[in-house]
Amino acid sequence: MVQILVVDDDKEIVNAIEIYLKKEGYQILKAYDGKQALEMIKNHEVHLVILDVMMPNQDGFETLQEIRKEKTIPVIMLSAKSEDYDKIEGLNTGADDYITKPFNPLELIARVNSNVRRYVDFGSMETTKGEKIYQTGGLKMNDETKQVTVDGEEIKLTATEYHILRFLLQNKGKVYSIPQIYENVWNEESYGAENIIAVHIRHIREKIEINPKEPIYLKVIWGIGYKIEDISH
Amino acid sequence: MEKLKSSSLLRAICYVAIPLLVLILIVSIAHVSLVSKYGEVSERKDYLQTENFAHLYYNTILSNVLNVNSYRNNANRRYSPYREIQNDDNHQAIYYEDNSRYNSVTSKCMDYIILDKENGTIYTNMKSNDYQKEMQSMKDKKTYWNYTQGQIQTNMESINQDNIKFLYSSSSSLEEFEEIEVYSSFNTKLMATSASFSMQQKIYDIFKDNRNATAYLIPMTVIALAVIFLYLCFSIGHQKGKEGIELSSIDRFPYEILVTISFTIIGILCSIMLASFESSAMGNLIYSIWLLCYLGSYVSLAVLGITTIKRIKAKEFWHSFLVYRIFRWVKRQIAKVVTKAIDGSHMSKRITFFYLGFVLLSIFLGLMLGSGIAIILLLVFWIWVYYQLLQYGKKMETIQNALKDIYEGKKEVYLNEEELAGMLKRMARYINDIAGGFSNAIEESLKSERLKTELITNVSHDIKTPLTSIINYVDLLKEEELENPKTKEYLVVLDKKSQQLKKLIEDLVEASKVSSGNVKLKMETIDLKELLNQIRGEFEDRFEQRHLSIDMNLPKEDVKIQADDRYFYRIIENLFSNVTKYAMEHTRVYIELVNTGYEIHLIMKNISKEKLNISADELMQRFVRGDRSRYTEGSGLGLSIAQSLTELQGGKFQISIDGDLFKAEIIWKK
C-alpha cells in the first residue's frame, strides 16, 4: 500500500486531495503544518509527500529541507505562487514536482502517479542488451517493441507521432525546426507541410506530458523549434 | 489773502505800474548822475561854464596834442590814428577822423587844428582847402580856444589862462609843447542836435522846478518797486479757484531758449536805443522809438520774469531747461536701450560688464600699440578671452549633455558643481536637483509599480487558495450522483465560472507584472515563420472546432527578429486565443507577415462575431472586451498583456477596427 502524506494548512484542500487520491487506491496521511508533517514522516512509512509552500510556523521549503536531510521520497510542492522563480526555487530545494494552485485534480493525480511509479517501480524496466532503447527521465522508447512508456505507463502513438518522437529522442537535447524534423523524418523536402508537424508535436505532447502547457520532455522553443529535454537521473 | 493772491486786477495794475516806476527811477537816477557830473545847469550856455565841460574840453585838446606829439616823434606811427591827406601849398596836413576817444560828444562838437611850428605840419579833424585861413578865422567863432606862443586865447572863461591851472590833468600840461600851436572852436548848436545832449536837457527840464524831488523819488520808487516785486512773487501763478501753480505753455518752453530770445529782443532794443543816442535825429520820433524800445524790453523782461517766478514756484525751474530735457531724454533713451538689452537679467548685466571691460582694455592696449609690449599684451589678452570663451562653451556643452540625458530619461545624471562657477554652477546645481528628483521619481514610480504588482500577486495568492477548494469540490460534486437534474446544470455553471476566475487571476498577475516591466527578458533570434507555424499547430484543433480557416501569407525568405521566445509566443498566443474566442464562425482568419526592410509587420485580421462598438484604444485597455458584456470567457486582459509585452521587447502593437473587421498589427524594428 502506497502511503501519501498531504500537507496543507487549508483542511478543505487536504480533504479534497484525500478524496481524489483514495479513489486511485492510495493511503492518505494528513498534516496541517510543517512540524506535523515531519512528525508523520518520522513515525510512518511515507512514499510521497504533497507539500504546500505557504504554511504557518514552518513553510514548505523549510519542511522540504528537513525532509531531504533524511529521506529521498518524492515531494510534490503545492503552491499558489505560479511564478517561474517560485517553481525553480522549489525544484532547487529538492522538490520532485511542482503544482500550482488552483490545480486540476486530474493533473494532480497524474503527477502523483508518475512520481509514485518512478519512486516505487524505478528500474523495473531494466535495459536489455541489444534492445534499441531511447530514454530521457521517465520517458522510454523501445524501438524493438515500438513501445513508449512514461514512468512505466504505456503511451499509444500513431506511426507519424512515433517517428517524430523517435527522431527527437535519438537526438535529445538538440533543437530542430519544423522543416528539419520533416526532412529528417520523411527524408524529403518539406513543401508547406510544416503545419502538420506542429500539430503532430502538439498531439505527442498531449499524450506524453502531464500538463502539455508546461511540458517536461517535449519542449517547444518558440520561433526556433522543438527538442526532447535530456533528463538523466 | 486768497483774494489778494489771485487778483488779476491788482496784478494788471502792478504790470502797468512797473514800467512807470522804473522810468521815474531811471530819470531820477539820470538826473542825480547828471547833477553830480555837470552841476546845476539849466541853459546850454551854462553848461559851457561848468567845470565839467572845461575839464572835458581841456583834456580833449590835451589828448589830441599828445597824439600829435607821439606821431611827430615817430613813435608807433603805424598804429597812429592819423592819416596823411592832400594838403594845401604851404602845409602838410594830417587828418584825423576820430580825433579823440576822450569824450565823443565834446570832440564831435569841436573843430581843431594843431600846427607843428617846426615843419608846418597840420594835424586836424577839419576838412579844408586853406588851413591858414581857418586858423585865422578861429577867433571869430562863437566859442573858441587857441593856444599860440605859449598863451591861451579864449572866450570861455573856465578854460582861460588863469583857470586852466585848476583843471586836473593826469599826464602833462601844455607848457611842455612850445613848438605847437592849437586852434579850436566849439559848436554849441551841434551839441544841441545830439540826442543824448537833448536828453540830458530834457531831464534837467523835468526837475527844473523841483530840483530836490529826486531825494525822495528814488527811495519811494525803489520801495514801491520792491513791494510790487514781492507781491508779484507772491501772487504770480495763482488763479481764482484753482489750487497750485497754473503753468501755461510758455512756462513749459525751454528756459534757456526763452532767456536767449528775451535778451536778444532786449539787446536789439537797447542797441537801437543806444544808436539813437548818438544820432543827431531829433524830436518825437526818437522819443516814440525809445518808448517802444523801453516797453518792448519791459514786456520781454516781464514775460521772462513771470515765467521764471512761476517755474520756481511750481518747482519746475530746472526741469524746464532744455539742457535738462535733453539730458533726461538721453538718459531715458540709454536706460531704455540698456533695459531692453539687459531685460532685467542678471546675466546680461554681467555680460555687459565684462564686455565693456574687454572693449576698454582692448582700446587701452590698442592706444599703447606703439610699443611692442602692448601688442604682445593685447594678443595675450585676446587669446586669454578666446580660451575663456572656449572653456565656457565646453561647460555649457556639459550642461546641455546633462539636460539631454535627463530628457532621454537616464537615471544617473550628475554634474560636478566644483568644476563650474557663477551661473553655470547654479545651473549645474539645479540640474543635479532635477536629476536627483527625477531619478527619485522614477524610483518611486518603479517602487509603487513593484508594490502594486506585489500587492496583486499577494492578493491573488490569497484568492487562489479558496479557489482551489471551490474548483476541487465542484469537481468532486460532479462525480457524485445527484438526484435533482437541475443541480447538474448548476454545477456546470459553477465549474465554468470557477475556471474563468482562475484564468482571470492568472492573467491579472501577469498583466500587472508585464505592465510594470517586472519581467526578465531573454532576447534571442527568433524565426517568425517557424513561430507562426508552431502556434498554428497549437491552435489548429481549436480553429477547426470553430470552423475558422487560417489564411497565412508568409514571405519566402526567413524573417528573424530579436525577442524573448516565450514572451513573444505569449503575444501571438493571446491574439490567436482572442480569435478563437471572438471571431465569427465559418470565416477566414488572415495572418500576414511583411518585411519592409526596415520593419517587420505581423498582421492578423478576423471578422468579429459580435458588433464592435468600441474604439481600438478602449479595447486595448485592461478588462475591456469587445462586447462590453462579461458573459464571454476570458479576462479582458489579453490585448493589454500583448501590448505591454510587445512594447517591453521594443515592438509596437496596434489594433484597429473597421466595422466588424478586427485587425491587430505587431511592428518590429529590424
Side-chain angles (χ1 to χ4, degrees):
Chain A
M1 203 54 153
V2 176
Q3 290 213 63
I4 295 174
L5 172 65
V6 182
V7 190
D8 197 322
D9 57 324
D10 190 319
K11 283 181 185 171
E12 279 69 34
I13 291 177
V14 175
N15 289 339
I17 292 171
E18 185 187 13
I19 295 165
Y20 285 121
L21 293 181
K22 266 192 174 163
K23 278 185 192 164
E24 294 293 309
Y26 294 109
Q27 188 115 28
I28 304 300
L29 297 166
K30 294 187 273 186
Y32 303 109
D33 63 37
K35 279 181 182 167
Q36 279 182 21
L38 289 173
E39 285 289 309
M40 285 283 188
I41 289 166
K42 212 183 242 177
N43 300 332
H44 299 80
E45 195 197 346
V46 175
H47 298 98
L48 186 140
V49 183
I50 296 172
L51 187 59
D52 183 35
V53 173
M54 286 187 292
M55 286 187 301
N57 299 330
Q58 194 173 11
D59 78 8
F61 291 133
E62 285 167 8
T63 312
L64 177 59
Q65 279 174 342
E66 291 290 312
I67 295 169
R68 277 283 167 266
K69 279 177 187 168
E70 304 195 354
K71 306 260 177 182
T72 54
I73 45 168
V75 175
I76 298 172
M77 299 302 286
L78 193 60
S79 172
K81 290 186 181 175
S82 56
E83 324 303 313
D84 293 345
Y85 166 82
D86 299 307
K87 289 182 192 172
I88 290 163
E89 194 187 341
L91 294 173
N92 280 347
T93 319
D96 295 82
D97 219 332
Y98 198 99
I99 300 174
T100 53
K101 286 182 191 171
F103 51 84
N104 182 341
L106 294 175
E107 186 186 343
L108 176 78
I109 292 161
R111 285 192 192 279
V112 168
N113 285 341
S114 154
N115 277 286
V116 166
R117 274 199 302 273
R118 224 184 293 163
Y119 180 67
V120 177
D121 311 333
F122 198 70
S124 67
M125 210 173 127
E126 280 301 319
T127 331
T128 323
K129 276 189 180 174
E131 285 187 326
K132 284 185 191 167
I133 292 181
Y134 309 105
Q135 184 180 5
T136 185
L139 176 67
K140 276 183 197 169
M141 172 182 271
N142 189 330
D143 201 26
E144 294 287 308
T145 58
K146 308 287 176 199
Q147 207 179 27
V148 178
T149 55
V150 176
D151 298 324
E153 196 176 333
E154 196 175 339
I155 306 288
K156 289 206 165 77
L157 294 174
T158 65
T160 316
E161 287 164 7
Y162 183 83
H163 284 121
I164 293 168
L165 182 62
R166 187 177 63 182
F167 169 69
L168 290 173
L169 255 175
Q170 281 169 342
N171 302 285
K172 60 184 177 186
K174 289 182 191 166
V175 181
Y176 291 93
S177 69
I178 293 168
Q180 281 171 332
I181 292 169
Y182 188 91
E183 279 156 30
N184 280 292
V185 174
W186 274 268
N187 282 320
E188 57 183 66
E189 269 192 57
S190 66
Y191 289 108
E194 292 90 345
N195 181 33
I196 303 163
I197 298 289
V199 176
H200 282 311
I201 286 179
R202 182 167 54 78
H203 287 156
I204 298 168
R205 238 173 44 233
E206 281 163 2
K207 285 175 182 173
I208 66 168
E209 300 288 352
I210 291 168
N211 183 352
K213 282 190 178 170
E214 289 173 24
I216 301 168
Y217 306 115
L218 211 179
K219 298 223 160 159
V220 188
I221 296 117
W222 298 106
I224 297 170
Y226 304 94
K227 71 165 178 181
I228 288 286
E229 193 81 0
D230 189 0
I231 308 162
S232 46
H233 281 281
Chain B
M1 200 64 179
E2 273 303 308
K3 251 185 180 173
L4 198 69
K5 204 174 185 178
S6 53
S7 160
S8 47
L9 178 71
L10 208 57
R11 243 179 280 162
I13 292 167
C14 288
Y15 293 145
V16 175
I18 289 170
L20 295 172
L21 286 169
V22 169
L23 198 61
I24 291 166
L25 190 63
I26 289 170
V27 170
S28 304
I29 288 166
H31 183 251
V32 169
S33 70
L34 280 175
V35 167
S36 68
K37 228 173 173 183
Y38 306 124
E40 301 285 332
V41 269
S42 54
E43 295 295 326
R44 253 172 253 162
K45 280 181 289 177
D46 295 344
Y47 179 60
L48 298 180
Q49 302 304 320
T50 59
E51 193 186 320
N52 190 277
F53 177 77
H55 194 80
L56 279 175
Y57 199 95
Y58 179 62
N59 275 300
T60 307
I61 296 291
L62 205 58
S63 87
N64 284 330
V65 168
L66 282 168
N67 275 337
V68 168
N69 193 45
S70 67
Y71 189 85
R72 278 170 66 216
N73 296 339
N74 282 334
N76 294 322
R77 190 174 282 188
R78 202 171 158 194
Y79 303 105
S80 169
Y82 288 102
R83 295 287 175 267
E84 283 179 28
I85 54 164
Q86 190 64 45
N87 58 331
D88 63 5
D89 300 334
N90 305 319
H91 302 283
Q92 185 192 3
I94 292 175
Y95 175 70
Y96 180 34
E97 278 179 337
D98 183 17
N99 38 21
S100 170
R101 291 169 208 151
Y102 190 75
N103 181 297
S104 63
V105 178
T106 323
S107 52
K108 258 183 189 167
C109 306
M110 180 195 276
D111 292 331
Y112 69 85
I113 298 165
I114 297 167
L115 176 66
D116 184 352
K117 285 193 282 184
E118 277 182 9
N119 53 14
T121 311
I122 281 168
Y123 303 87
T124 181
N125 67 344
M126 296 166 72
K127 281 182 179 170
S128 173
N129 294 325
D130 190 353
Y131 283 107
Q132 201 62 44
K133 196 180 159 194
E134 292 289 341
M135 281 188 271
Q136 309 267 295
S137 65
M138 207 64 93
K139 263 188 212 165
D140 307 328
K141 298 275 172 64
K142 205 170 180 182
T143 49
Y144 71 96
W145 190 90
N146 290 350
Y147 177 73
T148 48
Q149 282 125 32
Q151 290 298 314
I152 293 167
Q153 290 127 31
T154 182
N155 58 352
M156 290 182 281
E157 244 176 78
S158 55
I159 339 174
N160 65 14
Q161 194 76 36
D162 300 329
N163 288 336
I164 208 160
K165 290 168 208 157
F166 307 110
L167 290 174
Y168 166 75
S169 171
S170 59
S171 49
S172 51
S173 72
L174 268 176
E175 274 106 58
E176 290 169 37
F177 311 105
E178 285 182 4
E179 66 282 17
I180 276 174
E181 284 186 352
V182 178
Y183 302 91
S184 72
S185 65
F186 190 79
N187 190 344
T188 48
K189 271 182 188 156
L190 205 60
M191 191 172 92
T193 61
S194 156
S196 65
F197 189 78
S198 71
M199 181 82 184
Q200 287 172 17
Q201 284 299 310
K202 284 268 178 217
I203 291 167
Y204 274 126
D205 289 346
I206 288 164
F207 297 103
K208 201 158 55 184
D209 300 326
N210 196 351
R211 285 174 196 276
N212 295 323
T214 52
Y216 53 87
L217 261 179
I218 292 174
M220 269 172 66
T221 48
V222 166
I223 288 163
L225 279 169
V227 168
I228 286 170
F229 179 74
L230 286 174
Y231 168 72
L232 283 177
C233 281
F234 166 72
S235 152
I236 277 172
H238 296 283
Q239 277 184 357
K240 234 173 221 173
K242 283 185 185 171
E243 282 284 316
I245 308 300
E246 280 291 311
L247 291 180
S248 59
S249 58
I250 198 164
D251 301 320
R252 293 193 171 84
F253 199 75
Y255 193 70
E256 313 93 305
I257 293 177
L258 206 63
V259 169
T260 312
I261 291 169
S262 160
F263 278 100
T264 308
I265 292 168
I266 293 166
I268 290 165
L269 294 174
C270 284
S271 53
I272 291 169
M273 246 148 86
L274 285 175
S276 62
F277 250 134
E278 300 305 319
S279 82
S280 50
M282 261 309 293
N284 291 331
L285 180 64
I286 281 284
Y287 290 121
S288 15
I289 288 171
W290 282 1
L291 192 64
L292 278 175
C293 289
Y294 174 71
L295 286 176
S297 300
Y298 167 69
V299 167
S300 70
L301 204 61
V303 167
L304 185 66
I306 290 162
T307 182
T308 307
I309 289 165
K310 272 193 190 175
R311 282 167 205 230
I312 290 169
K313 284 175 88 173
K315 288 174 182 147
E316 286 284 323
F317 185 68
W318 296 112
H319 296 179
S320 63
F321 273 69
L322 183 64
V323 173
Y324 174 83
R325 283 183 201 178
I326 289 170
F327 177 74
R328 193 179 54 183
W329 184 80
V330 167
K331 200 176 139 191
R332 273 186 196 162
Q333 291 306 308
I334 290 170
K336 219 188 256 174
V337 169
V338 167
T339 26
K340 204 173 181 183
I342 289 175
D343 202 16
S345 121
H346 183 65
M347 192 60 194
S348 302
K349 277 179 200 163
R350 284 191 51 164
I351 287 173
T352 311
F353 178 73
F354 282 119
Y355 186 71
L356 279 178
F358 170 74
V359 169
L360 288 177
L361 202 56
S362 289
I363 290 170
F364 174 69
L365 288 170
L367 287 176
M368 293 174 18
L369 214 57
S371 65
I373 293 169
I375 294 172
I376 291 165
L377 278 177
L378 192 59
L379 281 175
V380 167
F381 176 59
W382 282 348
I383 289 165
W384 179 78
V385 169
Y386 176 66
Y387 175 75
Q388 290 296 322
L389 283 174
L390 281 187
Q391 289 294 309
Y392 193 82
K394 256 188 223 164
K395 285 166 185 169
M396 284 298 276
E397 211 170 320
T398 318
I399 287 169
Q400 184 199 301
N401 287 339
L403 281 171
K404 197 177 148 208
D405 285 350
I406 292 175
Y407 171 73
E408 284 172 355
K410 285 186 189 162
K411 266 196 238 168
E412 300 295 322
V413 179
Y414 179 72
L415 283 167
N416 191 352
E417 289 172 35
E418 298 308 314
E419 284 173 8
L420 304 164
M423 194 178 79
L424 294 181
K425 190 171 185 172
R426 283 195 294 281
M427 273 167 86
R429 193 165 65 232
Y430 299 150
I431 286 168
N432 284 341
D433 283 0
I434 291 169
F438 193 61
S439 69
N440 277 348
I442 290 174
E443 258 165 47
E444 281 292 316
S445 82
L446 281 180
K447 201 176 153 192
S448 88
E449 273 296 327
R450 240 189 344 260
L451 282 175
K452 209 161 81 185
T453 310
E454 235 166 73
L455 179 74
I456 289 172
T457 314
N458 287 338
V459 168
S460 78
H461 292 161
D462 291 344
I463 296 169
K464 275 174 184 175
T465 307
L467 186 60
T468 309
S469 289
I470 293 169
I471 289 172
N472 288 341
Y473 284 95
V474 165
D475 189 67
L476 287 170
L477 259 184
K478 282 199 288 188
E479 290 177 21
E480 293 298 317
E481 290 205 2
L482 299 164
E483 286 175 12
N484 193 337
K486 271 190 179 174
T487 45
K488 271 201 170 172
E489 263 176 58
Y490 298 159
L491 262 180
V492 170
V493 175
L494 273 178
D495 188 29
K496 204 175 151 191
K497 292 300 158 186
S498 57
Q499 289 299 335
Q500 197 183 333
L501 186 58
K502 178 187 164 191
K503 174 87 175 114
L504 183 65
I505 288 163
E506 281 165 0
D507 281 0
L508 179 66
V509 172
E510 190 178 14
S512 94
K513 245 170 51 175
V514 165
S515 70
S516 68
N518 211 355
V519 286
K520 282 189 186 113
L521 294 171
K522 206 175 79 203
M523 300 301 262
E524 276 178 292
T525 307
I526 285 178
D527 184 349
L528 272 182
K529 273 167 72 183
E530 174 86 13
L531 180 93
L532 285 170
N533 279 321
Q534 285 176 320
I535 295 174
R536 187 181 175 177
E538 297 294 315
F539 280 84
E540 186 86 0
D541 293 1
R542 279 201 262 170
F543 276 70
E544 264 170 29
Q545 266 174 27
R546 299 193 62 93
H547 309 283
L548 293 165
S549 55
I550 299 176
D551 189 297
M552 224 190 260
N553 188 0
L554 306 180
K556 275 185 183 157
E557 76 276 6
D558 286 350
V559 182
K560 293 191 171 165
I561 59 161
Q562 285 290 318
D564 181 299
D565 68 309
R566 274 164 8 103
Y567 288 116
F568 198 85
Y569 161 70
R570 288 285 288 131
I571 299 166
I572 312 294
E573 188 204 21
N574 276 350
L575 286 176
F576 270 61
S577 125
N578 263 5
V579 169
T580 60
K581 281 179 212 158
Y582 305 117
M584 189 191 264
E585 294 190 5
H586 301 288
T587 57
R588 263 184 287 276
V589 177
Y590 291 89
I591 295 161
E592 204 179 342
L593 192 59
V594 181
N595 186 353
T596 65
Y598 308 104
E599 287 173 332
I600 288 157
H601 294 248
L602 173 59
I603 303 153
M604 250 181 75
K605 286 178 270 193
N606 67 272
I607 301 296
S608 174
K609 147 174 84 175
E610 305 284 341
K611 196 177 170 189
L612 291 165
N613 43 11
I614 189 170
S615 81
D617 280 346
E618 273 182 287
L619 202 55
M620 258 200 288
Q621 281 164 13
R622 293 179 215 173
F623 302 112
V624 172
R625 263 160 299 167
D627 56 1
R628 278 186 190 273
S629 67
R630 305 245 158 189
Y631 292 117
T632 42
E633 50 188 319
S635 61
L637 286 167
L639 286 175
S640 166
I641 292 172
Q643 187 195 15
S644 297
L645 278 174
T646 310
E647 282 164 4
L648 264 180
Q649 295 178 71
K652 261 194 272 179
F653 186 89
Q654 292 171 349
I655 59 173
S656 59
I657 291 161
D658 187 3
D660 285 342
L661 180 73
F662 175 86
K663 181 178 160 190
E665 191 171 2
I666 293 169
I667 302 160
W668 219 267
K669 276 230 172 80
K670 263 196 143 179

